[in-house]
Amino acid sequence: MEQQLFIKMITDAWRAQNKKVDELLDQLTETQWSADTAPGKNTGIYLLGHLAAVNDSMLPLLGFGQKMYPELENIFLSSPDKSGQQFPSLADLKKYWNEINAVLNGHINNTQPADWFTQHTSVSAEDFAKEPHRNKLNILISRTIHQSYHLGQLAYLK
Amino acid sequence: MEQQLFIKMITDAWRAQNKKVDELLDQLTETQWSADTAPGKNTGIYLLGHLAAVNDSMLPLLGFGQKMYPELENIFLSSPDKSGQQFPSLADLKKYWNEINAVLNGHINNTQPADWFTQHTSVSAEDFAKEPHRNKLNILISRTIHQSYHLGQLAYLK
């Protein structure tokens, strides 16, 4: 019971952050997304691609399957903004964001409570035995916090 | 055991965010703190006061005691930045931040596992019976996410 409660608290927080990105996608124009969030800082579209790439990378990390758009990694995770990478269009990125999240959140909804406390795929069995907090639910906590960090920056596009 | 594990996951995340603010306090000059995080947006010092006021308000909310600096509420929670409020000096705000967190985190460290799943002080017993996720640990989750949101903005002062 407490286990399910705790999972609800985290998955609710996760969904709330994703929803805030969805709301920005509804609210902001393409011109706004293309702008720097602050002078010389990351553009909105880079941060959107970055968040989409992070969510996509959660699929293998949580054992849910392969990445859907592995090409996002090089553009939005390995490379900084303004490094000459060709970005997908905003319409495509929005499509990727929605598709990745539909699949990811489908898996999240179907994950059994006990499964959240098993190790994620980038921790060894040996390390996990010593550090049992490095479980799948902890990935969801850290990615929720990470998304909020960039939402604070995306808010400056308004 | 699992209960203690997820309390550790959340309190670790909470402490990590606070530590990032501490690191910014070590790194940034007074001139940097006084600047807008982006043109026309909140200043660094306003966001620092805002985060200190939020942490202070967690003391009564979590049943740990009274606010230590209740005067911060009007300046940094009820009023927006640039509204003519007189701010404490950066040195004073840094002192408040450290003092509030020492007391708050002392209480957090001493909270018994089962206690985290009891209601916080702004939810009624009736509502809590229907919505048991509105517990003290959920406050810590939401405040961790909130702090990260503003850390994303404070990073622009660098």
Side-chain angles (χ1 to χ4, degrees), chain B residues 60-63 116-124 128 133-139:
Chain B
L61 195 55
L62 297 175
W116 280 114
F117 292 91
T118 61
Q119 72 200 78
H120 57 74
T121 61
S122 77
V123 61
S124 70
F128 186 65
H133 63 279
R134 297 176 67 183
N135 53 45
K136 292 179 182 176
L137 196 58
N138 215 30
I139 294 288

Side-chain angles (χ1 to χ4, degrees), chain B residues 8-134:
Chain B
K8 177 183 165 50
M9 287 154 61
I10 300 302
T11 52
D12 279 0
W14 164 254
R15 278 188 286 262
Q17 300 308 307
N18 280 279
K19 197 177 162 202
K20 286 182 189 178
V21 179
D22 293 341
E23 286 166 356
L24 286 177
L25 281 167
D26 286 340
Q27 288 165 7
L28 302 177
T29 65
E30 187 150 7
T31 307
Q32 285 174 301
W33 280 106
S34 302
D36 288 355
T37 49
K41 305 295 184 184
N42 289 328
T43 56
I45 198 158
Y46 178 83
L47 289 179
L48 177 62
H50 177 71
L51 293 177
V54 168
N55 284 16
D56 201 21
S57 72
M58 290 169 70
L59 291 170
L61 195 55
L62 297 175
F64 294 155
Q66 294 192 310
K67 287 185 183 183
M68 296 172 66
Y69 294 99
E71 67 274 22
L72 297 179
E73 174 162 349
N74 184 44
I75 313 174
F76 296 112
L77 292 178
S78 312
S79 311
D81 197 4
K82 308 174 206 291
S83 58
Q85 295 282 338
Q86 181 74 36
F87 290 173
S89 68
L90 177 64
D92 280 345
L93 271 181
K94 187 173 175 172
K95 180 174 160 282
Y96 303 162
W97 168 260
N98 287 330
E99 287 175 0
I100 291 164
N101 282 0
V103 171
L104 177 60
N105 289 322
H107 284 294
I108 285 173
N109 294 341
N110 288 329
T111 298
Q112 294 303 306
D115 222 38
W116 280 114
F117 292 91
T118 61
Q119 72 200 78
H120 57 74
T121 61
S122 77
V123 61
S124 70
E126 195 184 359
D127 286 346
F128 186 65
K130 285 178 289 189
E131 301 174 305
H133 63 279
R134 297 176 67 183

Side-chain angles (χ1 to χ4, degrees), chain A residues 5-152:
Chain A
L5 188 65
F6 184 72
I7 292 164
K8 175 182 166 50
M9 287 154 59
I10 301 301
T11 52
D12 279 359
W14 164 254
R15 278 187 285 261
Q17 299 308 308
N18 280 280
K19 197 177 162 203
K20 286 181 189 178
V21 179
D22 293 341
E23 286 165 358
L24 285 177
L25 281 168
D26 286 340
Q27 288 164 9
L28 301 178
T29 64
E30 186 150 7
T31 307
Q32 286 175 299
W33 280 106
S34 301
D36 287 354
T37 49
K41 306 294 184 183
N42 287 329
T43 55
I45 198 160
Y46 178 83
L47 288 179
L48 177 62
H50 177 70
L51 293 177
V54 167
N55 284 15
D56 201 22
S57 72
M58 290 168 70
L59 291 169
L61 195 55
L62 296 174
F64 294 155
Q66 294 192 311
K67 287 186 183 183
M68 295 171 68
Y69 293 100
E71 67 274 21
L72 298 179
E73 173 163 350
N74 183 44
I75 312 174
F76 296 112
L77 293 178
S78 313
S79 310
D81 197 4
K82 308 174 205 291
S83 57
Q85 294 283 337
Q86 181 75 36
F87 290 173
S89 69
L90 177 64
D92 279 345
L93 271 182
K94 188 173 176 172
K95 179 172 162 283
Y96 302 162
W97 168 261
N98 288 329
E99 288 175 359
I100 291 165
N101 283 0
V103 171
L104 177 60
N105 288 322
H107 285 293
I108 285 173
N109 294 341
N110 288 330
T111 298
Q112 295 304 305
D115 223 38
W116 280 114
F117 294 91
T118 61
Q119 72 199 79
H120 57 74
T121 61
S122 77
V123 60
S124 70
E126 194 184 359
D127 286 345
F128 185 65
K130 285 178 290 187
E131 302 175 305
H133 62 278
R134 297 177 67 182
N135 53 46
K136 291 179 182 175
L137 198 58
N138 214 32
I139 295 288
L140 205 58
I141 293 171
S142 69
R143 296 307 181 271
T144 300
I145 293 169
H146 172 258
Q147 208 162 92
S148 182
Y149 182 92
H150 291 304
L151 273 163

